[in-house]
Amino acid sequence: MEQGLNQIQNEILKAIEHQSGKALCTEAIIAKRIRDNANIEGKQKAGLAIQDVEKAVAALETKELFYSIHLNSANDIPLKKEDEIKYLDPDAKRRRLGAKK
């Protein structure tokens, strides 16, 4: 397990690394990869916590992989390969959290 990451953050990290050849990966793809790796059957539209995604993205910096975190109109989290890490702005975080209630 990556140092300083909990189990779900580590799984998110591995799922993003698996998609590292692509310029864009979405929350749905990451969650599906986690379910497949853990042999979990169940809800197909499972969301990820923003804090967990941010910690996993930050850990990727040590591997020279940089992603920006975005929030689309459906309140899903797409990750885009960039030259530097960019996190969600506070307004986007509030919108995401408000939509989950």
Side-chain angles (χ1 to χ4, degrees), residues 61-76:
E61 184 176 21
T62 62
K63 299 179 181 196
E64 302 284 322
L65 290 172
F66 304 103
Y67 284 88
S68 62
I69 303 170
H70 299 273
L71 191 66
N72 66 20
S73 60
N75 281 327
D76 293 326

Side-chain angles (χ1 to χ4, degrees), residues 81-92:
K81 264 191 173 176
E82 302 276 350
D83 294 331
E84 62 183 28
I85 294 174
K86 295 178 188 169
Y87 298 104
L88 281 179
D89 62 64
D91 290 336

